Tab-separated table of all heavy atoms in Angstrom:
chain	number	residue	atom	x	y	z
D	1	ARG	N	115.004	74.495	105.089
D	1	ARG	CA	114.090	73.566	104.364
D	1	ARG	C	112.883	74.306	103.818
D	1	ARG	O	112.451	74.099	102.685
D	1	ARG	CB	113.659	72.452	105.323
D	1	ARG	CG	112.731	71.434	104.661
D	1	ARG	CD	112.027	70.583	105.708
D	1	ARG	NE	111.336	71.317	106.761
D	1	ARG	CZ	110.126	71.892	106.616
D	1	ARG	NH1	109.494	71.826	105.455
D	1	ARG	NH2	109.582	72.515	107.618
D	2	LEU	N	112.336	75.206	104.647
D	2	LEU	CA	111.148	75.990	104.211
D	2	LEU	C	111.563	76.872	103.044
D	2	LEU	O	110.768	76.990	102.058
D	2	LEU	CB	110.601	76.835	105.372
D	2	LEU	CG	109.464	77.751	105.066
D	2	LEU	CD1	108.225	76.950	104.650
D	2	LEU	CD2	109.170	78.621	106.250
D	3	TYR	N	112.688	77.509	103.098
D	3	TYR	CA	113.145	78.379	102.041
D	3	TYR	C	113.307	77.609	100.720
D	3	TYR	O	112.809	78.025	99.661
D	3	TYR	CB	114.467	79.063	102.423
D	3	TYR	CG	114.971	80.023	101.356
D	3	TYR	CD1	114.470	81.343	101.308
D	3	TYR	CD2	115.951	79.650	100.475
D	3	TYR	CE1	114.898	82.202	100.382
D	3	TYR	CE2	116.381	80.565	99.494
D	3	TYR	CZ	115.877	81.836	99.462
D	3	TYR	OH	116.314	82.726	98.485
D	4	LYS	N	113.936	76.419	100.801
D	4	LYS	CA	114.129	75.594	99.602
D	4	LYS	C	112.790	75.146	99.039
D	4	LYS	O	112.607	75.102	97.829
D	4	LYS	CB	115.009	74.411	99.908
D	4	LYS	CG	116.465	74.789	100.098
D	4	LYS	CD	117.277	73.578	100.362
D	4	LYS	CE	118.769	73.938	100.536
D	4	LYS	NZ	119.583	72.750	100.721
D	5	ASN	N	111.867	74.779	99.896
D	5	ASN	CA	110.561	74.325	99.481
D	5	ASN	C	109.815	75.431	98.780
D	5	ASN	O	109.186	75.232	97.710
D	5	ASN	CB	109.765	73.767	100.651
D	5	ASN	CG	108.448	73.154	100.280
D	5	ASN	OD1	108.314	72.638	99.166
D	5	ASN	ND2	107.495	73.184	101.165
D	6	LEU	N	109.842	76.628	99.366
D	6	LEU	CA	109.135	77.726	98.761
D	6	LEU	C	109.796	78.140	97.450
D	6	LEU	O	109.108	78.511	96.469
D	6	LEU	CB	109.099	78.935	99.695
D	6	LEU	CG	108.141	78.816	100.888
D	6	LEU	CD1	108.359	79.944	101.885
D	6	LEU	CD2	106.701	78.840	100.353
D	7	LEU	N	111.108	78.058	97.393
D	7	LEU	CA	111.839	78.398	96.182
D	7	LEU	C	111.443	77.422	95.053
D	7	LEU	O	111.219	77.811	93.926
D	7	LEU	CB	113.308	78.312	96.411
D	7	LEU	CG	114.237	78.971	95.433
D	7	LEU	CD1	113.920	80.432	95.291
D	7	LEU	CD2	115.686	78.827	95.856
D	8	TYR	N	111.268	76.159	95.416
D	8	TYR	CA	110.878	75.128	94.465
D	8	TYR	C	109.450	75.385	93.974
D	8	TYR	O	109.138	75.332	92.790
D	8	TYR	CB	110.988	73.747	95.060
D	8	TYR	CG	110.468	72.624	94.191
D	8	TYR	CD1	111.240	72.153	93.138
D	8	TYR	CD2	109.236	72.059	94.390
D	8	TYR	CE1	110.778	71.147	92.296
D	8	TYR	CE2	108.783	71.060	93.587
D	8	TYR	CZ	109.545	70.588	92.541
D	8	TYR	OH	109.093	69.584	91.707
D	9	LEU	N	108.537	75.713	94.896
D	9	LEU	CA	107.133	75.978	94.544
D	9	LEU	C	107.002	77.245	93.716
D	9	LEU	O	106.122	77.338	92.883
D	9	LEU	CB	106.306	76.091	95.810
D	9	LEU	CG	106.024	74.799	96.594
D	9	LEU	CD1	105.325	75.119	97.934
D	9	LEU	CD2	105.197	73.871	95.774
D	10	GLY	N	107.874	78.203	93.914
D	10	GLY	CA	107.791	79.449	93.216
D	10	GLY	C	108.156	79.395	91.746
D	10	GLY	O	107.921	80.341	91.001
D	11	ARG	N	108.696	78.286	91.304
D	11	ARG	CA	109.118	78.174	89.877
D	11	ARG	C	107.850	78.277	88.969
D	11	ARG	O	107.996	78.797	87.870
D	11	ARG	CB	109.790	76.843	89.608
D	11	ARG	CG	111.123	76.713	90.308
D	11	ARG	CD	111.803	75.401	89.945
D	11	ARG	NE	110.861	74.328	90.088
D	11	ARG	CZ	110.989	73.136	89.482
D	11	ARG	NH1	112.043	72.883	88.751
D	11	ARG	NH2	110.099	72.153	89.640
D	12	GLU	N	106.709	77.833	89.404
D	12	GLU	CA	105.518	77.851	88.598
D	12	GLU	C	104.579	79.014	88.939
D	12	GLU	O	103.408	79.043	88.528
D	12	GLU	CB	104.734	76.551	88.796
D	12	GLU	CG	105.460	75.319	88.328
D	12	GLU	CD	104.641	74.086	88.566
D	12	GLU	OE1	103.406	74.144	88.452
D	12	GLU	OE2	105.237	73.036	88.819
D	13	TYR	N	105.044	80.004	89.696
D	13	TYR	CA	104.250	81.108	90.114
D	13	TYR	C	103.697	81.884	88.883
D	13	TYR	O	104.495	82.064	87.909
D	13	TYR	CB	105.036	82.054	91.023
D	13	TYR	CG	104.213	83.048	91.766
D	13	TYR	CD1	103.378	82.638	92.820
D	13	TYR	CD2	104.251	84.408	91.474
D	13	TYR	CE1	102.564	83.537	93.501
D	13	TYR	CE2	103.508	85.307	92.160
D	13	TYR	CZ	102.657	84.824	93.164
D	13	TYR	OH	101.872	85.773	93.853
D	14	PRO	N	102.446	82.277	88.880
D	14	PRO	CA	101.860	82.981	87.700
D	14	PRO	C	102.591	84.192	87.224
D	14	PRO	O	102.651	84.463	86.041
D	14	PRO	CB	100.480	83.292	88.122
D	14	PRO	CG	100.142	82.333	89.211
D	14	PRO	CD	101.431	82.054	89.903
D	15	LYS	N	103.193	84.951	88.123
D	15	LYS	CA	103.923	86.179	87.734
D	15	LYS	C	105.364	85.897	87.359
D	15	LYS	O	106.097	86.812	86.993
D	15	LYS	CB	103.884	87.236	88.824
D	15	LYS	CG	102.524	87.903	88.997
D	15	LYS	CD	102.642	89.026	89.975
D	15	LYS	CE	101.338	89.741	90.060
D	15	LYS	NZ	101.426	90.896	90.930
D	16	GLY	N	105.750	84.650	87.464
D	16	GLY	CA	107.123	84.267	87.091
D	16	GLY	C	107.958	83.901	88.287
D	16	GLY	O	107.809	84.389	89.369
D	17	GLY	N	108.922	83.022	88.022
D	17	GLY	CA	109.810	82.536	89.075
D	17	GLY	C	110.720	83.609	89.589
D	17	GLY	O	111.065	83.630	90.792
D	18	ASP	N	111.216	84.518	88.728
D	18	ASP	CA	112.080	85.589	89.161
D	18	ASP	C	111.379	86.516	90.139
D	18	ASP	O	111.951	86.972	91.119
D	18	ASP	CB	112.627	86.357	88.004
D	18	ASP	CG	113.563	85.511	87.104
D	18	ASP	OD1	114.132	84.543	87.656
D	18	ASP	OD2	113.643	85.783	85.900
D	19	TYR	N	110.135	86.881	89.806
D	19	TYR	CA	109.382	87.724	90.690
D	19	TYR	C	109.218	87.078	92.057
D	19	TYR	O	109.383	87.724	93.091
D	19	TYR	CB	108.013	87.970	90.042
D	19	TYR	CG	107.026	88.716	90.941
D	19	TYR	CD1	107.093	90.116	91.081
D	19	TYR	CD2	106.051	88.031	91.638
D	19	TYR	CE1	106.204	90.801	91.882
D	19	TYR	CE2	105.174	88.694	92.436
D	19	TYR	CZ	105.238	90.049	92.586
D	19	TYR	OH	104.336	90.751	93.397
D	20	PHE	N	108.838	85.820	92.076
D	20	PHE	CA	108.629	85.106	93.304
D	20	PHE	C	109.930	84.986	94.108
D	20	PHE	O	109.938	85.189	95.331
D	20	PHE	CB	108.059	83.698	93.050
D	20	PHE	CG	107.639	82.961	94.310
D	20	PHE	CD1	106.420	83.208	94.873
D	20	PHE	CD2	108.536	82.129	94.926
D	20	PHE	CE1	106.072	82.535	96.076
D	20	PHE	CE2	108.169	81.451	96.119
D	20	PHE	CZ	106.935	81.648	96.653
D	21	ARG	N	111.023	84.665	93.445
D	21	ARG	CA	112.312	84.524	94.142
D	21	ARG	C	112.726	85.830	94.772
D	21	ARG	O	113.212	85.829	95.894
D	21	ARG	CB	113.389	84.021	93.141
D	21	ARG	CG	114.710	83.723	93.802
D	21	ARG	CD	115.726	83.157	92.897
D	21	ARG	NE	116.017	84.042	91.802
D	21	ARG	CZ	115.801	83.752	90.522
D	21	ARG	NH1	115.341	82.594	90.158
D	21	ARG	NH2	116.059	84.628	89.576
D	22	ASP	N	112.547	86.940	94.103
D	22	ASP	CA	112.906	88.269	94.656
D	22	ASP	C	112.045	88.571	95.894
D	22	ASP	O	112.583	89.045	96.896
D	22	ASP	CB	112.738	89.359	93.638
D	22	ASP	CG	113.720	89.229	92.491
D	22	ASP	OD1	114.789	88.537	92.666
D	22	ASP	OD2	113.454	89.820	91.417
D	23	ARG	N	110.763	88.309	95.812
D	23	ARG	CA	109.873	88.538	96.953
D	23	ARG	C	110.232	87.592	98.140
D	23	ARG	O	110.210	87.996	99.273
D	23	ARG	CB	108.405	88.301	96.556
D	23	ARG	CG	107.878	89.217	95.503
D	23	ARG	CD	107.512	90.592	95.994
D	23	ARG	NE	106.608	90.539	97.106
D	23	ARG	CZ	105.346	90.872	97.066
D	23	ARG	NH1	104.826	91.325	95.970
D	23	ARG	NH2	104.555	90.790	98.138
D	24	LEU	N	110.545	86.374	97.823
D	24	LEU	CA	110.919	85.391	98.841
D	24	LEU	C	112.212	85.803	99.536
D	24	LEU	O	112.320	85.792	100.782
D	24	LEU	CB	111.075	84.001	98.238
D	24	LEU	CG	111.424	82.875	99.184
D	24	LEU	CD1	110.303	82.628	100.205
D	24	LEU	CD2	111.747	81.598	98.402
D	25	ARG	N	113.197	86.195	98.755
D	25	ARG	CA	114.463	86.611	99.338
D	25	ARG	C	114.287	87.838	100.206
D	25	ARG	O	114.864	87.893	101.304
D	25	ARG	CB	115.438	86.910	98.203
D	25	ARG	CG	116.875	87.229	98.678
D	25	ARG	CD	117.801	87.425	97.548
D	25	ARG	NE	117.990	86.190	96.783
D	25	ARG	CZ	118.079	86.141	95.449
D	25	ARG	NH1	118.038	87.256	94.762
D	25	ARG	NH2	118.235	84.981	94.881
D	26	SER	N	113.499	88.783	99.792
D	26	SER	CA	113.295	90.004	100.609
D	26	SER	C	112.554	89.679	101.922
D	26	SER	O	112.842	90.230	102.936
D	26	SER	CB	112.556	91.091	99.806
D	26	SER	OG	111.248	90.703	99.569
D	27	ALA	N	111.585	88.721	101.806
D	27	ALA	CA	110.840	88.337	103.021
D	27	ALA	C	111.750	87.666	104.024
D	27	ALA	O	111.675	87.923	105.240
D	27	ALA	CB	109.658	87.440	102.634
D	28	PHE	N	112.623	86.790	103.551
D	28	PHE	CA	113.501	86.105	104.473
D	28	PHE	C	114.579	87.055	104.984
D	28	PHE	O	114.993	86.950	106.170
D	28	PHE	CB	114.160	84.878	103.806
D	28	PHE	CG	113.324	83.637	103.965
D	28	PHE	CD1	112.182	83.427	103.181
D	28	PHE	CD2	113.679	82.655	104.829
D	28	PHE	CE1	111.427	82.330	103.332
D	28	PHE	CE2	112.890	81.508	104.999
D	28	PHE	CZ	111.808	81.327	104.248
D	29	SER	N	115.066	87.979	104.154
D	29	SER	CA	116.112	88.906	104.591
D	29	SER	C	115.534	89.868	105.657
D	29	SER	O	116.229	90.265	106.577
D	29	SER	CB	116.578	89.730	103.416
D	29	SER	OG	117.271	88.885	102.499
C-alpha cells in the first residue's frame, strides 16, 4: 500500500515521475 501510494504521489515530482519511480524502486529493493 505504501509503495503504491508513493508511486502515485511521485507522478507530480518536480524532477519527473520516471526519476522518482527509479529512486523509489531502488529504495524498496
Side-chain angles (χ1 to χ4, degrees):
R1 180 194 54 79
L2 177 64
Y3 183 80
K4 287 182 179 181
N5 186 28
L6 286 170
L7 197 58
Y8 176 77
L9 289 172
R11 294 183 312 159
E12 297 180 32
Y13 194 70
K15 288 189 175 183
D18 293 333
Y19 172 81
F20 187 85
R21 186 176 58 241
D22 293 340
R23 298 281 306 251
L24 180 66
R25 186 177 294 141
S26 68
F28 272 77
S29 296

